[in-house]
Amino acid sequence: MTYAIEAFNISKKIGDKAILSNISLLIPRGVVYGFLGANGAGKTSFMKILMGLWRTDSGTIRLLDKELKGGDAVYRSVGSIIEAPIFYQESTARRNLELHRDYLLGVEPGRINQVLAMVGLLEDSDKPVREYSLGMKQRLAISRALLGRPELLILDEPLNGLDPHGIRFFRELVKEINEKEGTTIIVSSHILDEVAKVANTIGIISGGRMVAEIPMQSIGDNLGDLEETYFSIVQGKGA
């Protein structure tokens, strides 16, 4: 089995506070992995380390079979949304994607239209981003993350601020990206049932520690069982 993410004993402190403590996980290629935890549990901190935005105090990480180094070219094969996406607000959605395309290099002709269509923004692509709703900006961020056909997609709390229609659209989009493009996806959230609907495996983080990994096939379709399992695990840690 080959892995998209291999993390071993990742720890991080800010001042005297331990943000992450000895986190280890292996995410196989081709899966959707749900990273579940309460706000402040350490999800975003871990994803920032994955993307090279923060350095670890200890531990090692490999992405797509490559050890991470500063400015590593492996990130050209990784798409991400970490915290609130930033765009040139006065430029159109299409222009924002053109600028990102120029950075990536080697993006095939027609890919911009393809990703805009995937996220349902093709008809609105010539509007300035300042006219976009929050949900439209989230979809534009996903299209930007997909532009270079990433092997790995890292999505940090992508459901924040979305209405029920937007959440359902996102859920179907994640399934489509995974199934049609073969992209490995790690998606973090504190919304248990939505992660359960898209993930093959769920990793539970609490207090900066990885406390459990749950294959969804072991839970089945009963979200009540998953909810009970989640709170039993987390409360057992005293979180």
Side-chain angles (χ1 to χ4, degrees), residues 36-201:
L36 190 65
N39 291 331
K43 302 184 301 297
T44 297
S45 298
F46 182 72
M47 289 191 162
K48 284 181 176 180
I49 287 173
L50 287 182
M51 288 303 301
L53 301 175
W54 283 4
R55 292 186 177 183
T56 64
D57 293 333
S58 61
T60 60
I61 292 178
R62 289 171 58 87
L63 296 184
L64 305 172
D65 299 321
K66 296 179 176 65
E67 291 189 11
L68 295 189
K69 301 175 183 177
D72 202 306
V74 70
Y75 288 116
R76 294 189 182 276
S77 299
V78 180
S80 69
I81 303 175
I82 305 293
E83 297 186 323
I86 297 174
F87 300 104
Y88 295 102
Q89 296 291 319
E90 298 302 318
S91 296
T92 65
R94 182 178 298 278
R95 181 57 180 156
N96 272 273
L97 293 186
E98 288 171 347
L99 292 169
H100 193 60
R101 175 198 61 194
D102 294 343
Y103 160 75
L104 290 174
L105 303 175
V107 175
E108 70 266 30
R111 181 61 175 170
I112 287 179
N113 280 352
Q114 187 177 25
V115 296
L116 285 168
M118 286 178 68
V119 301
L121 290 178
L122 189 56
E123 293 184 0
D124 296 305
S125 61
D126 292 321
K127 291 181 179 179
V129 173
R130 60 178 165 77
E131 296 182 9
Y132 274 25
S133 67
L134 176 59
M136 292 171 75
K137 289 178 180 177
Q138 285 288 82
R139 285 188 276 155
L140 180 58
I142 293 174
S143 72
R144 183 171 63 186
L146 292 173
L147 194 57
R149 292 189 183 276
E151 298 177 52
L152 172 63
L153 187 60
I154 296 173
L155 303 176
D156 177 37
E157 296 282 5
L159 302 178
N160 282 354
L162 296 187
D163 60 18
H165 176 79
I167 290 173
R168 183 174 183 178
F169 182 93
F170 169 81
R171 183 197 314 150
E172 296 306 316
L173 180 60
V174 165
K175 292 178 181 179
E176 179 182 357
I177 294 165
N178 175 247
E179 292 171 3
K180 293 186 177 180
E181 303 220 342
T183 308
T184 305
I185 302 171
I186 176 171
V187 53
S188 78
S189 183
H190 59 278
I191 305 175
L192 184 150
D193 60 339
E194 286 302 326
V195 174
K197 289 173 183 176
V198 298
N200 305 108
T201 299

Side-chain angles (χ1 to χ4, degrees), residues 215-230:
M216 284 309 302
Q217 64 184 11
S218 70
I219 297 293
D221 296 327
N222 188 335
L223 297 183
D225 285 349
L226 178 58
E227 182 176 284
E228 182 178 342
T229 299
Y230 170 79

